Amino acid sequence: MNDLITITPASEVTEEYKTEAKAWTKWDSKKRKTFPYNYTAEERVLVLSGSATLTPKDGGDPLEIAAGNAVTFHKGFQCKWKITKRMQKHYAIFADDEEVDDDDEGVPQITCDVCSEDCMEESYFVEEDESDICVKCYTKDKDKYSGAQHQKGGEAWVEPAAAVEKKSLPPKKKQKKG
């Protein structure tokens, strides 16, 4: 058993928890099938529909979560998600047992789907499978991620025109003093 994850069966989830969860952010797996995830803060989840197998990075036994389950991912839990049936869930992130806003500084909200590192500051978003790739992983295999959207702070990033012009201009020639 893994001490960094708590799964409450659907039959034991309280009405109070279900009501509270309705106010949390809703997530839909859509096209996501498998991805690693590193929980850098506590996350609480109510699975609305679907199912997944979570394989802990520490080699622990795979865990199954499904519709109706309440799941608490404690800080430090690392796993590989495998969505077995398209999933929808409500989730909230908690720091020191207090719910934090999705916009709070210091709580990474984007982690690389290759290496699990925090990449909120800068990343590449691959629309095909809705994956986030950190700069390091993107640089290692640019061809694989061609067409990925460059993002900073989770928003599309377009380099300022002055920087683009500067890169594309040929170097200035020095004039001879005569």
Side-chain angles (χ1 to χ4, degrees), residues 115-160:
C115 69
S116 299
E117 292 297 317
D118 168 29
C119 59
M120 180 66 188
E121 188 174 321
E122 183 173 12
S123 63
Y124 290 85
F125 179 71
V126 181
E127 190 171 350
E128 180 183 327
D129 63 356
E130 297 182 341
S131 59
D132 296 296
I133 310 299
C134 71
V135 173
K136 186 177 172 183
C137 291
Y138 175 82
T139 303
K140 285 181 185 175
D141 202 351
K142 286 182 182 180
D143 291 340
K144 181 177 181 179
Y145 306 116
S146 67
Q149 180 187 64
H150 188 200
Q151 297 187 341
K152 290 194 177 184
E155 300 291 328
W157 177 257
V158 178
E159 238 179 288

Tab-separated table of all heavy atoms in Angstrom, residues 115-160:
chain	number	residue	atom	x	y	z
A	115	CYS	N	9.025	13.885	-18.451
A	115	CYS	CA	9.929	13.718	-17.304
A	115	CYS	C	9.311	14.106	-15.960
A	115	CYS	O	9.975	13.983	-14.933
A	115	CYS	CB	11.211	14.509	-17.531
A	115	CYS	SG	10.978	16.311	-17.471
A	116	SER	N	8.086	14.609	-15.943
A	116	SER	CA	7.348	14.989	-14.731
A	116	SER	C	7.881	16.236	-14.025
A	116	SER	O	7.477	16.518	-12.909
A	116	SER	CB	7.304	13.842	-13.711
A	116	SER	OG	6.653	12.739	-14.263
A	117	GLU	N	8.769	16.988	-14.658
A	117	GLU	CA	9.282	18.209	-14.041
A	117	GLU	C	8.284	19.346	-14.192
A	117	GLU	O	7.517	19.391	-15.154
A	117	GLU	CB	10.627	18.614	-14.679
A	117	GLU	CG	11.756	17.670	-14.371
A	117	GLU	CD	12.101	17.603	-12.888
A	117	GLU	OE1	12.159	18.666	-12.230
A	117	GLU	OE2	12.294	16.488	-12.383
A	118	ASP	N	8.316	20.290	-13.255
A	118	ASP	CA	7.477	21.485	-13.329
A	118	ASP	C	7.888	22.297	-14.555
A	118	ASP	O	9.062	22.559	-14.770
A	118	ASP	CB	7.678	22.319	-12.064
A	118	ASP	CG	7.077	23.714	-12.161
A	118	ASP	OD1	6.087	23.897	-12.898
A	118	ASP	OD2	7.598	24.626	-11.487
A	119	CYS	N	6.920	22.637	-15.392
A	119	CYS	CA	7.242	23.466	-16.568
A	119	CYS	C	6.194	24.558	-16.767
A	119	CYS	O	5.863	24.928	-17.881
A	119	CYS	CB	7.443	22.623	-17.822
A	119	CYS	SG	6.053	21.600	-18.328
A	120	MET	N	5.665	25.069	-15.648
A	120	MET	CA	4.666	26.141	-15.708
A	120	MET	C	5.258	27.380	-16.369
A	120	MET	O	4.603	28.047	-17.157
A	120	MET	CB	4.172	26.474	-14.294
A	120	MET	CG	3.137	27.572	-14.242
A	120	MET	SD	1.612	27.056	-15.060
A	120	MET	CE	0.721	28.591	-15.062
A	121	GLU	N	6.523	27.680	-16.040
A	121	GLU	CA	7.149	28.909	-16.553
A	121	GLU	C	7.256	28.894	-18.079
A	121	GLU	O	6.959	29.876	-18.738
A	121	GLU	CB	8.533	29.090	-15.932
A	121	GLU	CG	9.156	30.421	-16.265
A	121	GLU	CD	10.457	30.642	-15.540
A	121	GLU	OE1	10.588	30.264	-14.362
A	121	GLU	OE2	11.371	31.196	-16.175
A	122	GLU	N	7.677	27.760	-18.632
A	122	GLU	CA	7.812	27.654	-20.090
A	122	GLU	C	7.640	26.198	-20.503
A	122	GLU	O	8.218	25.306	-19.892
A	122	GLU	CB	9.173	28.172	-20.549
A	122	GLU	CG	9.350	28.169	-22.045
A	122	GLU	CD	10.642	28.831	-22.519
A	122	GLU	OE1	11.522	29.106	-21.681
A	122	GLU	OE2	10.754	29.048	-23.726
A	123	SER	N	6.827	25.981	-21.546
A	123	SER	CA	6.570	24.625	-22.015
A	123	SER	C	6.112	24.651	-23.462
A	123	SER	O	5.964	25.712	-24.062
A	123	SER	CB	5.488	23.964	-21.147
A	123	SER	OG	4.258	24.668	-21.275
A	124	TYR	N	5.878	23.450	-23.987
A	124	TYR	CA	5.327	23.280	-25.331
A	124	TYR	C	4.094	22.400	-25.192
A	124	TYR	O	4.157	21.339	-24.565
A	124	TYR	CB	6.354	22.643	-26.275
A	124	TYR	CG	7.489	23.594	-26.586
A	124	TYR	CD1	8.580	23.712	-25.743
A	124	TYR	CD2	7.431	24.406	-27.715
A	124	TYR	CE1	9.594	24.610	-26.012
A	124	TYR	CE2	8.448	25.304	-27.990
A	124	TYR	CZ	9.523	25.403	-27.137
A	124	TYR	OH	10.525	26.298	-27.405
A	125	PHE	N	2.979	22.834	-25.784
A	125	PHE	CA	1.724	22.095	-25.706
A	125	PHE	C	1.480	21.378	-27.027
A	125	PHE	O	1.465	21.995	-28.086
A	125	PHE	CB	0.554	23.047	-25.418
A	125	PHE	CG	-0.776	22.344	-25.361
A	125	PHE	CD1	-1.090	21.504	-24.308
A	125	PHE	CD2	-1.707	22.513	-26.374
A	125	PHE	CE1	-2.318	20.849	-24.250
A	125	PHE	CE2	-2.942	21.867	-26.326
A	125	PHE	CZ	-3.240	21.034	-25.265
A	126	VAL	N	1.316	20.047	-26.961
A	126	VAL	CA	1.065	19.225	-28.142
A	126	VAL	C	-0.433	18.926	-28.156
A	126	VAL	O	-0.933	18.152	-27.332
A	126	VAL	CB	1.883	17.918	-28.110
A	126	VAL	CG1	1.622	17.083	-29.358
A	126	VAL	CG2	3.367	18.218	-27.953
A	127	GLU	N	-1.144	19.565	-29.078
A	127	GLU	CA	-2.601	19.464	-29.100
A	127	GLU	C	-3.097	18.049	-29.380
A	127	GLU	O	-4.090	17.599	-28.803
A	127	GLU	CB	-3.180	20.426	-30.137
A	127	GLU	CG	-4.686	20.537	-30.050
A	127	GLU	CD	-5.250	21.641	-30.911
A	127	GLU	OE1	-4.499	22.456	-31.450
A	127	GLU	OE2	-6.478	21.651	-31.062
A	128	GLU	N	-2.401	17.317	-30.242
A	128	GLU	CA	-2.841	15.978	-30.661
A	128	GLU	C	-3.199	15.082	-29.483
A	128	GLU	O	-4.217	14.415	-29.468
A	128	GLU	CB	-1.751	15.329	-31.506
A	128	GLU	CG	-2.095	13.949	-32.000
A	128	GLU	CD	-0.961	13.310	-32.784
A	128	GLU	OE1	-0.217	14.044	-33.476
A	128	GLU	OE2	-0.813	12.090	-32.697
A	129	ASP	N	-2.332	15.063	-28.467
A	129	ASP	CA	-2.613	14.216	-27.302
A	129	ASP	C	-2.706	15.031	-26.014
A	129	ASP	O	-2.670	14.486	-24.919
A	129	ASP	CB	-1.578	13.101	-27.170
A	129	ASP	CG	-0.171	13.629	-26.931
A	129	ASP	OD1	0.038	14.858	-26.943
A	129	ASP	OD2	0.732	12.798	-26.723
A	130	GLU	N	-2.806	16.350	-26.166
A	130	GLU	CA	-2.937	17.273	-25.045
A	130	GLU	C	-1.822	17.106	-24.024
A	130	GLU	O	-2.048	17.128	-22.814
A	130	GLU	CB	-4.301	17.130	-24.376
A	130	GLU	CG	-5.442	17.473	-25.290
A	130	GLU	CD	-6.794	17.381	-24.612
A	130	GLU	OE1	-6.923	16.727	-23.561
A	130	GLU	OE2	-7.736	17.977	-25.161
A	131	SER	N	-0.592	16.956	-24.507
A	131	SER	CA	0.519	16.790	-23.587
A	131	SER	C	1.313	18.085	-23.458
A	131	SER	O	1.341	18.915	-24.365
A	131	SER	CB	1.430	15.636	-24.032
A	131	SER	OG	1.934	15.862	-25.317
A	132	ASP	N	1.932	18.242	-22.305
A	132	ASP	CA	2.806	19.371	-22.021
A	132	ASP	C	4.230	18.844	-21.964
A	132	ASP	O	4.500	17.849	-21.288
A	132	ASP	CB	2.433	20.011	-20.677
A	132	ASP	CG	1.035	20.609	-20.711
A	132	ASP	OD1	0.828	21.547	-21.491
A	132	ASP	OD2	0.164	20.130	-19.965
A	133	ILE	N	5.122	19.540	-22.673
A	133	ILE	CA	6.516	19.108	-22.755
A	133	ILE	C	7.410	20.243	-22.266
A	133	ILE	O	7.266	21.385	-22.722
A	133	ILE	CB	6.898	18.753	-24.224
A	133	ILE	CG1	5.870	17.795	-24.848
A	133	ILE	CG2	8.314	18.202	-24.318
A	133	ILE	CD1	5.724	16.468	-24.155
A	134	CYS	N	8.333	19.945	-21.365
A	134	CYS	CA	9.246	20.978	-20.878
A	134	CYS	C	10.255	21.324	-21.977
A	134	CYS	O	10.410	20.588	-22.955
A	134	CYS	CB	9.973	20.513	-19.612
A	134	CYS	SG	11.207	19.215	-19.861
A	135	VAL	N	10.936	22.432	-21.799
A	135	VAL	CA	11.896	22.905	-22.799
A	135	VAL	C	12.999	21.866	-23.023
A	135	VAL	O	13.385	21.594	-24.164
A	135	VAL	CB	12.498	24.269	-22.374
A	135	VAL	CG1	13.615	24.693	-23.306
A	135	VAL	CG2	11.403	25.328	-22.313
A	136	LYS	N	13.491	21.260	-21.953
A	136	LYS	CA	14.574	20.277	-22.047
A	136	LYS	C	14.165	19.081	-22.916
A	136	LYS	O	14.888	18.674	-23.821
A	136	LYS	CB	14.967	19.820	-20.638
A	136	LYS	CG	16.158	18.921	-20.568
A	136	LYS	CD	16.473	18.625	-19.105
A	136	LYS	CE	17.522	17.578	-18.938
A	136	LYS	NZ	17.762	17.272	-17.521
A	137	CYS	N	12.977	18.520	-22.661
A	137	CYS	CA	12.504	17.368	-23.442
A	137	CYS	C	12.173	17.769	-24.873
A	137	CYS	O	12.432	17.009	-25.806
A	137	CYS	CB	11.303	16.721	-22.767
A	137	CYS	SG	11.710	15.896	-21.200
A	138	TYR	N	11.612	18.955	-25.054
A	138	TYR	CA	11.290	19.451	-26.392
A	138	TYR	C	12.574	19.585	-27.218
A	138	TYR	O	12.635	19.150	-28.368
A	138	TYR	CB	10.571	20.804	-26.306
A	138	TYR	CG	10.321	21.439	-27.647
A	138	TYR	CD1	9.234	21.066	-28.422
A	138	TYR	CD2	11.190	22.405	-28.151
A	138	TYR	CE1	9.002	21.632	-29.668
A	138	TYR	CE2	10.961	22.980	-29.397
A	138	TYR	CZ	9.878	22.598	-30.143
A	138	TYR	OH	9.661	23.160	-31.376
A	139	THR	N	13.610	20.154	-26.614
A	139	THR	CA	14.882	20.369	-27.307
A	139	THR	C	15.528	19.053	-27.726
A	139	THR	O	16.130	18.963	-28.783
A	139	THR	CB	15.838	21.184	-26.404
A	139	THR	OG1	15.193	22.408	-26.052
A	139	THR	CG2	17.142	21.492	-27.106
A	140	LYS	N	15.367	18.012	-26.906
A	140	LYS	CA	15.945	16.700	-27.216
A	140	LYS	C	15.313	16.056	-28.447
A	140	LYS	O	15.948	15.260	-29.120
A	140	LYS	CB	15.777	15.739	-26.031
A	140	LYS	CG	16.703	15.990	-24.888
A	140	LYS	CD	16.453	14.958	-23.796
A	140	LYS	CE	17.272	15.212	-22.571
A	140	LYS	NZ	16.925	14.286	-21.487
A	141	ASP	N	14.030	16.377	-28.726
A	141	ASP	CA	13.324	15.698	-29.815
A	141	ASP	C	12.332	16.636	-30.505
A	141	ASP	O	11.129	16.380	-30.538
A	141	ASP	CB	12.600	14.466	-29.261
A	141	ASP	CG	12.290	13.435	-30.330
A	141	ASP	OD1	12.483	13.731	-31.523
A	141	ASP	OD2	11.836	12.330	-29.967
A	142	LYS	N	12.861	17.737	-31.069
A	142	LYS	CA	12.013	18.752	-31.705
A	142	LYS	C	11.155	18.171	-32.829
A	142	LYS	O	10.011	18.578	-33.002
A	142	LYS	CB	12.867	19.896	-32.264
A	142	LYS	CG	13.416	20.812	-31.216
A	142	LYS	CD	14.201	21.945	-31.852
A	142	LYS	CE	14.798	22.839	-30.799
A	142	LYS	NZ	15.563	23.933	-31.373
A	143	ASP	N	11.685	17.227	-33.592
A	143	ASP	CA	10.925	16.643	-34.703
A	143	ASP	C	9.664	15.938	-34.201
A	143	ASP	O	8.601	16.042	-34.812
A	143	ASP	CB	11.772	15.650	-35.501
A	143	ASP	CG	12.878	16.342	-36.278
A	143	ASP	OD1	12.774	17.564	-36.513
A	143	ASP	OD2	13.850	15.661	-36.651
A	144	LYS	N	9.785	15.233	-33.091
A	144	LYS	CA	8.653	14.505	-32.534
A	144	LYS	C	7.531	15.462	-32.116
A	144	LYS	O	6.356	15.131	-32.202
A	144	LYS	CB	9.103	13.686	-31.317
A	144	LYS	CG	8.000	12.880	-30.670
A	144	LYS	CD	8.548	12.046	-29.529
A	144	LYS	CE	7.451	11.218	-28.877
A	144	LYS	NZ	7.973	10.394	-27.788
A	145	TYR	N	7.915	16.664	-31.673
A	145	TYR	CA	6.934	17.626	-31.170
A	145	TYR	C	6.707	18.793	-32.131
A	145	TYR	O	6.243	19.847	-31.718
A	145	TYR	CB	7.379	18.149	-29.798
A	145	TYR	CG	7.652	17.033	-28.815
A	145	TYR	CD1	8.921	16.817	-28.292
A	145	TYR	CD2	6.640	16.163	-28.418
A	145	TYR	CE1	9.176	15.790	-27.401
A	145	TYR	CE2	6.884	15.128	-27.538
A	145	TYR	CZ	8.143	14.953	-27.029
A	145	TYR	OH	8.390	13.929	-26.158
A	146	SER	N	6.999	18.593	-33.414
A	146	SER	CA	6.802	19.685	-34.373
A	146	SER	C	5.329	20.089	-34.366
A	146	SER	O	4.438	19.258	-34.242
A	146	SER	CB	7.245	19.268	-35.780
A	146	SER	OG	6.392	18.266	-36.274
A	147	GLY	N	5.109	21.367	-34.434
A	147	GLY	CA	3.741	21.881	-34.387
A	147	GLY	C	3.258	22.175	-32.976
A	147	GLY	O	2.148	22.674	-32.796
A	148	ALA	N	4.082	21.871	-31.970
A	148	ALA	CA	3.698	22.152	-30.586
A	148	ALA	C	3.637	23.663	-30.374
A	148	ALA	O	4.401	24.419	-30.965
A	148	ALA	CB	4.698	21.522	-29.618
A	149	GLN	N	2.724	24.073	-29.521
A	149	GLN	CA	2.557	25.492	-29.233
A	149	GLN	C	3.485	25.886	-28.087
A	149	GLN	O	3.431	25.302	-27.009
A	149	GLN	CB	1.108	25.773	-28.839
A	149	GLN	CG	0.841	27.220	-28.516
A	149	GLN	CD	-0.561	27.419	-27.976
A	149	GLN	OE1	-0.903	26.917	-26.909
A	149	GLN	NE2	-1.374	28.145	-28.732
A	150	HIS	N	4.330	26.890	-28.338
A	150	HIS	CA	5.233	27.394	-27.310
A	150	HIS	C	4.401	28.187	-26.300
A	150	HIS	O	3.590	29.022	-26.680
A	150	HIS	CB	6.289	28.288	-27.960
A	150	HIS	CG	7.378	28.711	-27.027
A	150	HIS	ND1	8.174	29.784	-27.277
A	150	HIS	CD2	7.798	28.202	-25.846
A	150	HIS	CE1	9.050	29.929	-26.302
A	150	HIS	NE2	8.839	28.981	-25.419
A	151	GLN	N	4.587	27.895	-25.002
A	151	GLN	CA	3.822	28.582	-23.963
A	151	GLN	C	4.730	29.091	-22.859
A	151	GLN	O	5.760	28.485	-22.566
A	151	GLN	CB	2.789	27.632	-23.338
A	151	GLN	CG	1.739	27.150	-24.297
A	151	GLN	CD	0.643	26.351	-23.609
A	151	GLN	OE1	0.805	25.862	-22.494
A	151	GLN	NE2	-0.487	26.229	-24.271
A	152	LYS	N	4.322	30.206	-22.285
A	152	LYS	CA	4.961	30.731	-21.078
A	152	LYS	C	3.848	31.026	-20.095
A	152	LYS	O	2.859	31.662	-20.449
A	152	LYS	CB	5.776	31.986	-21.384
A	152	LYS	CG	7.023	31.673	-22.205
A	152	LYS	CD	7.996	32.817	-22.234
A	152	LYS	CE	9.247	32.399	-23.013
A	152	LYS	NZ	10.257	33.423	-22.987
A	153	GLY	N	3.993	30.499	-18.889
A	153	GLY	CA	2.959	30.686	-17.881
A	153	GLY	C	1.634	30.049	-18.266
A	153	GLY	O	0.589	30.468	-17.815
A	154	GLY	N	1.668	29.028	-19.121
A	154	GLY	CA	0.459	28.338	-19.532
A	154	GLY	C	-0.316	29.039	-20.634
A	154	GLY	O	-1.386	28.601	-21.016
A	155	GLU	N	0.249	30.105	-21.182
A	155	GLU	CA	-0.411	30.860	-22.251
A	155	GLU	C	0.448	30.797	-23.513
A	155	GLU	O	1.674	30.760	-23.437
A	155	GLU	CB	-0.585	32.333	-21.844
A	155	GLU	CG	-1.421	32.531	-20.589
A	155	GLU	CD	-2.888	32.190	-20.782
A	155	GLU	OE1	-3.391	32.381	-21.912
A	155	GLU	OE2	-3.523	31.739	-19.817
A	156	ALA	N	-0.214	30.820	-24.673
A	156	ALA	CA	0.519	30.819	-25.943
A	156	ALA	C	1.505	31.975	-25.951
A	156	ALA	O	1.181	33.085	-25.531
A	156	ALA	CB	-0.452	30.935	-27.110
A	157	TRP	N	2.714	31.706	-26.415
A	157	TRP	CA	3.764	32.719	-26.426
A	157	TRP	C	4.187	32.997	-27.856
A	157	TRP	O	4.546	32.087	-28.594
A	157	TRP	CB	4.975	32.248	-25.625
A	157	TRP	CG	6.108	33.225	-25.669
A	157	TRP	CD1	7.245	33.118	-26.413
A	157	TRP	CD2	6.225	34.457	-24.964
A	157	TRP	NE1	8.053	34.198	-26.212
A	157	TRP	CE2	7.439	35.046	-25.322
A	157	TRP	CE3	5.402	35.130	-24.067
A	157	TRP	CZ2	7.871	36.268	-24.810
A	157	TRP	CZ3	5.825	36.341	-23.559
A	157	TRP	CH2	7.042	36.890	-23.928
A	158	VAL	N	4.111	34.254	-28.228
A	158	VAL	CA	4.596	34.682	-29.531
A	158	VAL	C	5.708	35.668	-29.247
A	158	VAL	O	5.508	36.642	-28.505
A	158	VAL	CB	3.475	35.357	-30.359
A	158	VAL	CG1	4.011	35.836	-31.687
A	158	VAL	CG2	2.319	34.391	-30.566
A	159	GLU	N	6.876	35.408	-29.808
A	159	GLU	CA	8.003	36.284	-29.546
A	159	GLU	C	7.709	37.688	-30.047
A	159	GLU	O	7.138	37.858	-31.109
A	159	GLU	CB	9.261	35.739	-30.244
A	159	GLU	CG	10.351	35.494	-29.248
A	159	GLU	CD	11.601	34.929	-29.848
A	159	GLU	OE1	11.577	33.750	-30.231
A	159	GLU	OE2	12.582	35.672	-29.919
A	160	PRO	N	8.072	38.704	-29.266
A	160	PRO	CA	7.837	40.076	-29.711
A	160	PRO	C	8.476	40.331	-31.075
A	160	PRO	O	9.548	39.805	-31.374
A	160	PRO	CB	8.513	40.919	-28.626
A	160	PRO	CG	8.582	40.026	-27.423
A	160	PRO	CD	8.710	38.627	-27.966
